[in-house]
Amino acid sequence: MEDCVFCKIAEGRIPAKTVYEDESVLAFHDMAPKAPVHVLVIPKRHAENILAARALDDSSLAHLFRTVAEVAARLGLDKTGFRVISNCGADACQEVGHLHIHILGGKKLSPKID
Ligand code: AMP
């Protein structure tokens, strides 16, 4: 989608520090990390947020979440734990309107998530 920053990253039009890539999913480091490890996992195909999951096929969704687990393990977070967040809409302060899963870890995170 034109004017979507994560579509541009998926298309290679904006640089990103890629952690993992395949034909349908991309994982890259967040440019303003909130933890020692802060990676975003996105479907390359544009979808606004998790609400769009209702329109995605099951295998795409399964692949997205399996990739989250795979990326976390590759980063060593399977040994220590990590947090997975997907902000959706205004009350969650979603900044980028392209479905993305945050992976946060590398330190003991706050028990608060709000
Ligand atoms: P949110 O939409 O609030 O769930 O968060 C969007 C996240 O995307 C923020 O943590 C930003 O730091 C991150 N972000 C925005 N633009 C870029 C970019 N070009 N490269 C990497 N991370 C980005």
Side-chain angles (χ1 to χ4, degrees):
M1 180 186 254
E2 203 55 43
D3 290 336
C4 170
V5 64
F6 287 178
C7 282
K8 288 179 180 169
I9 288 174
E11 292 161 6
R13 293 158 64 199
I14 290 179
K17 289 163 64 180
T18 300
V19 175
Y20 172 87
E21 180 170 15
D22 65 27
E23 65 180 22
S24 63
V25 174
L26 182 68
F28 53 94
H29 289 280
D30 195 293
M31 69 177 188
K34 312 288 189 300
V37 179
H38 187 173
V39 167
L40 304 172
V41 184
I42 65 167
K44 289 185 174 178
R45 187 170 169 187
H46 186 84
E48 183 81 6
N49 56 39
I50 199 75
L51 286 170
R54 293 177 295 184
L56 295 178
D57 62 274
D58 287 354
S59 67
S60 299
L61 274 175
H63 181 59
L64 180 66
F65 280 91
R66 196 169 290 117
T67 301
V68 169
E70 178 62 31
V71 167
R74 285 187 185 203
L75 295 168
L77 300 178
D78 53 333
K79 298 171 187 68
T80 51
F82 58 95
R83 182 167 289 152
V84 171
I85 293 173
S86 190
N87 293 318
C88 182
D91 277 2
C93 304
Q94 182 182 1
E95 291 173 17
V96 177
H98 182 126
L99 175 59
H100 53 281
I101 313 293
H102 296 256
I103 300 174
L104 296 146
K107 70 169 187 179
K108 183 80 174 175
L109 300 169
S110 163
K112 287 185 62 136
I113 56 168
D114 61 343

